[in-house]
Amino acid sequence: MLYLVGLGLSDETDITVKGLEVVKRASRVYLEAYTSILLVNQEVLESYYGRSIMIADREMVESNSDEILRDADKEDVAFCVVGDPFGATTHTDLVLRARELKIPVSTVPNASIMSGIGACGLQLYNFGQTVSMVFFTDTWKPASFYDRIKENRSIGLHTLVLVDIKVKEQSLENMARGRLIYEPPRYMTVGQCASQMLEIEEEKQEGVYTKDSLAIGAARVGGKTEKFVSGTLEELCNQDEALGPPLHSLVLLGKRTHELEHDFAREFAVDKEKWDRIWKADYAQS
Amino acid sequence: MLYLVGLGLSDETDITVKGLEVVKRASRVYLEAYTSILLVNQEVLESYYGRSIMIADREMVESNSDEILRDADKEDVAFCVVGDPFGATTHTDLVLRARELKIPVSTVPNASIMSGIGACGLQLYNFGQTVSMVFFTDTWKPASFYDRIKENRSIGLHTLVLVDIKVKEQSLENMARGRLIYEPPRYMTVGQCASQMLEIEEEKQEGVYTKDSLAIGAARVGGKTEKFVSGTLEELCNQDEALGPPLHSLVLLGKRTHELEHDFAREFAVDKEKWDRIWKADYAQS
């Protein structure tokens, strides 16, 4: 059996009891470690689970999945994923490949950022599609997120923006020379995300949002040091210190809101009076 | 401390290790048991957790929350919620009340149907807002879900439809006479949901969807007996036997799809050739 085991959002104790039983008895244990990370490292997990873990990087999952699936028709293989196993496309692919090989698959769900973000006080019912934000370079500024946000806002919905992480990336030079030297990991912050959003609005000028649009920055959702900061996009450009270490996410508010959402998120506001003023003018339902 | 503890979707072993530790050491343990249910009963949970559990019904949570919060400034109270604690508005209210009373609050996230539904093979990125479907009566057929689905479909997105459960409901007669006699619990099925959807389309005639629109029925998501059936809304009106016991949910597909979604969900199709035909005509991205 191939088990897809969700690890949840934060540390080694976020695994479910069911998931822990699977990990303890599986023949091999993989950890998918390129679409998200926990707040603890591999050694902590190995010690807690009492198992050694093989790191499955993008190359292995996307090009060498048969190694992960080896003998999974006869024994149990645990493929562990931060959050919930069905957050990312890649894992759908793995399941389809398992089906081709007649390997049975079982899923152990867990918290995902897509539901855990509810802890910021915005109602999950009021969220539209989720978007991703990648690190811009001088020459590459993919802006498809902008159109998706436009769609969500056209019907009043909030947008969860998941931000980029770069692990095990090679510099162009090292890649060209075939040197297996990797850059230090990089995790996008709420500040970087907010300023890239404003950069694209500046360029497109479609008024999908402005520097005064309300948003919530989230850090380490579901962890003991979980932190939210709410304010305008402009304010959130400068709140990385308050938010602290990765992982970050950002929610851009839609205009279909509930009073409870105002009250709950006001607690986290950079400037509570400004929050109230903009909310009353632009977000309050009549 | 008030702990909001997510229990996950299925049975007693879906609690996280962190959540189980909280439940074991809390002074009092409540179970919110009116917005969703697990597939196991209270006795199984009590025996597994080694704790007695107080059932918190709607009346208690909404009108008597101070009893739940009693002494939570001095001791630990665990408020357990099926799925993730922030799925429903009610729990936001409880947190706001705790803040007023200066009671610290901590959340233990878990799988929610809003992310667990990803196991049906549709990408979570392609979902719009979630809607709810209540049991219609002869005189009460609330159809706000229809406008929400229209919005989602106008931008190509899938819609998760969460279906009604009725627990601890009184008949009008018993309520009028003040008799605390409760009706047997009722859980809406995918078949009831699909036929109520078609009833409203028939009435509104806005062409938001038709009897040939593709959808996926889901039962007991995240559980060992998890089951999906995909097909047209008309087909799903008659698949309750195949789906089996509660809880059910339904996803109506949007037209912005990925080929992987087709392949994954085809496996569950009532009629695979029909699935392919309709997908090719109406859902495939050019």
Side-chain angles (χ1 to χ4, degrees), chain A residues 255-280:
Chain A
K255 297 206 172 180
R256 184 189 298 160
T257 57
H258 189 287
E259 202 187 326
L260 277 178
E261 296 180 294
H262 168 269
D263 297 351
F264 201 106
R266 180 183 193 273
E267 176 91 1
F268 314 126
V270 176
D271 177 339
K272 290 189 168 61
E273 281 174 22
K274 194 172 186 179
W275 178 264
D276 290 345
R277 197 171 63 242
I278 295 178
W279 192 288
K280 196 173 167 194

Side-chain angles (χ1 to χ4, degrees), chain A residues 176-248:
Chain A
R177 292 170 185 252
R179 294 192 293 225
L180 295 177
I181 299 172
Y182 302 104
E183 302 299 301
R186 290 191 296 153
Y187 306 99
M188 189 183 287
T189 65
V190 161
Q192 290 167 320
C193 177
S195 64
Q196 290 193 177
M197 286 173 69
L198 291 175
E199 185 182 341
I200 295 297
E201 175 59 56
E202 181 74 17
E203 187 188 305
K204 300 234 180 196
Q205 298 276 353
E206 294 179 32
V208 169
Y209 47 81
T210 72
K211 65 184 175 50
D212 287 329
S213 295
L214 296 182
I216 302 180
R220 301 172 305 287
V221 170
K224 284 185 189 115
T225 62
E226 176 180 86
K227 173 91 180 175
F228 298 107
V229 175
S230 58
T232 64
L233 276 179
E234 185 175 43
E235 286 172 331
L236 291 185
C237 288
N238 302 304
Q239 293 298 313
D240 286 348
E241 206 167 317
L243 283 161
L247 296 178
H248 287 191

Side-chain angles (χ1 to χ4, degrees), chain A residues 11 13-18 48 89 92 96 99 115 125 127 129-130 148 151 256 260 264 267, chain B residues 11 13-18 48 89 92 96 99 115 125 127 129-130 132 148 151 256 260 264 267:
Chain A
D11 66 32
T13 64
D14 285 324
I15 194 169
T16 65
V17 175
K18 186 179 285 172
Y48 190 79
T89 318
T92 314
L96 287 174
R99 277 194 200 155
S115 49
Y125 282 86
F127 280 73
Q129 60 199 316
T130 297
R148 300 276 191 266
E151 291 171 341
R256 184 189 298 160
L260 277 178
F264 201 106
E267 176 91 1
Chain B
D11 66 34
T13 64
D14 284 323
I15 194 168
T16 65
V17 176
K18 187 180 285 173
Y48 190 78
T89 318
T92 314
L96 287 173
R99 277 194 199 156
S115 48
Y125 281 86
F127 278 74
Q129 61 198 317
T130 298
S132 297
R148 300 276 191 265
E151 291 170 341
R256 184 190 298 160
L260 278 177
F264 200 106
E267 176 90 0

Side-chain angles (χ1 to χ4, degrees), chain B residues 86-216:
Chain B
F86 284 104
T89 318
T90 315
H91 312 134
T92 314
D93 247 340
L94 186 65
V95 173
L96 287 173
R97 180 64 184 149
R99 277 194 199 156
E100 282 172 15
L101 299 172
K102 313 273 185 223
I103 293 168
V105 179
S106 180
T107 306
V108 184
N110 208 322
S112 159
I113 183 66
M114 294 202 188
S115 48
I117 193 65
C120 77
L122 299 176
Q123 300 296 322
L124 292 177
Y125 281 86
N126 292 340
F127 278 74
Q129 61 198 317
T130 298
V131 304
S132 297
M133 176 71 76
V134 301
F135 282 112
F136 287 178
T137 68
D138 288 344
T139 54
W140 192 62
K141 304 186 185 211
S144 63
F145 74 86
Y146 186 82
D147 297 324
R148 300 276 191 265
I149 292 178
K150 184 178 182 175
E151 291 170 341
N152 285 345
R153 283 180 69 90
S154 75
I155 53 176
L157 300 177
H158 308 317
T159 306
L160 170 62
V161 186
L162 299 177
V163 304
D164 207 1
I165 74 172
K166 293 278 186 203
V167 292
K168 217 178 170 184
E169 298 281 323
Q170 288 172 284
S171 67
L172 286 176
E173 191 190 341
N174 283 329
M175 200 182 294
R177 292 170 187 251
R179 294 191 293 221
L180 296 177
I181 299 173
Y182 301 104
E183 302 300 302
R186 289 192 298 153
Y187 306 98
M188 189 183 288
T189 64
V190 161
Q192 290 167 320
C193 177
S195 63
Q196 290 193 175
M197 286 173 70
L198 290 176
E199 184 181 343
I200 295 298
E201 176 59 57
E202 181 75 17
E203 187 188 304
K204 301 233 177 194
Q205 299 276 352
E206 294 178 31
V208 170
Y209 47 81
T210 71
K211 63 185 177 47
D212 287 328
S213 294
L214 297 182
I216 302 180

Side-chain angles (χ1 to χ4, degrees), chain B residues 37-54:
Chain B
I37 55 155
L38 287 178
L39 307 179
V40 294
N41 63 26
Q42 183 181 354
E43 289 68 38
V44 172
L45 293 183
E46 290 186 324
S47 152
Y48 190 78
Y49 299 160
R51 299 296 312 268
S52 72
I53 293 172
M54 282 169 284

Side-chain angles (χ1 to χ4, degrees), chain A residues 40-243:
Chain A
V40 294
N41 62 27
Q42 183 181 354
E43 289 69 40
V44 173
L45 293 183
E46 290 186 325
S47 153
Y48 190 79
Y49 300 161
R51 297 297 311 270
S52 72
I53 293 173
M54 282 168 283
I55 297 294
D57 58 17
R58 188 186 297 275
E59 204 263 325
M60 178 180 225
V61 178
E62 294 184 353
S63 313
N64 197 14
S65 59
D66 283 7
E67 170 54 25
I68 297 170
L69 297 172
R70 178 172 49 84
D71 297 331
D73 52 338
K74 300 188 286 282
E75 42 193 56
D76 289 341
V77 173
F79 183 77
C80 300
V81 179
V82 174
D84 185 82
F86 284 104
T89 318
T90 313
H91 312 133
T92 314
D93 249 341
L94 186 64
V95 174
L96 287 174
R97 180 63 184 148
R99 277 194 200 155
E100 282 172 15
L101 300 171
K102 312 274 186 224
I103 292 168
V105 179
S106 179
T107 306
V108 184
N110 207 322
S112 159
I113 184 65
M114 294 204 187
S115 49
I117 193 64
C120 77
L122 299 176
Q123 300 296 321
L124 292 178
Y125 282 86
N126 293 340
F127 280 73
Q129 60 199 316
T130 297
V131 304
S132 297
M133 176 72 76
V134 301
F135 282 112
F136 287 178
T137 68
D138 289 345
T139 53
W140 193 62
K141 303 185 185 212
S144 63
F145 74 87
Y146 186 81
D147 297 323
R148 300 276 191 266
I149 292 179
K150 184 178 182 177
E151 291 171 341
N152 284 344
R153 283 180 70 89
S154 75
I155 54 176
L157 299 177
H158 309 317
T159 306
L160 170 62
V161 186
L162 299 178
V163 304
D164 207 1
I165 74 173
K166 292 277 187 203
V167 293
K168 217 177 170 185
E169 298 281 322
Q170 287 172 284
S171 67
L172 285 178
E173 191 191 339
N174 283 328
M175 199 182 293
R177 292 170 185 252
R179 294 192 293 225
L180 295 177
I181 299 172
Y182 302 104
E183 302 299 301
R186 290 191 296 153
Y187 306 99
M188 189 183 287
T189 65
V190 161
Q192 290 167 320
C193 177
S195 64
Q196 290 193 177
M197 286 173 69
L198 291 175
E199 185 182 341
I200 295 297
E201 175 59 56
E202 181 74 17
E203 187 188 305
K204 300 234 180 196
Q205 298 276 353
E206 294 179 32
V208 169
Y209 47 81
T210 72
K211 65 184 175 50
D212 287 329
S213 295
L214 296 182
I216 302 180
R220 301 172 305 287
V221 170
K224 284 185 189 115
T225 62
E226 176 180 86
K227 173 91 180 175
F228 298 107
V229 175
S230 58
T232 64
L233 276 179
E234 185 175 43
E235 286 172 331
L236 291 185
C237 288
N238 302 304
Q239 293 298 313
D240 286 348
E241 206 167 317
L243 283 161

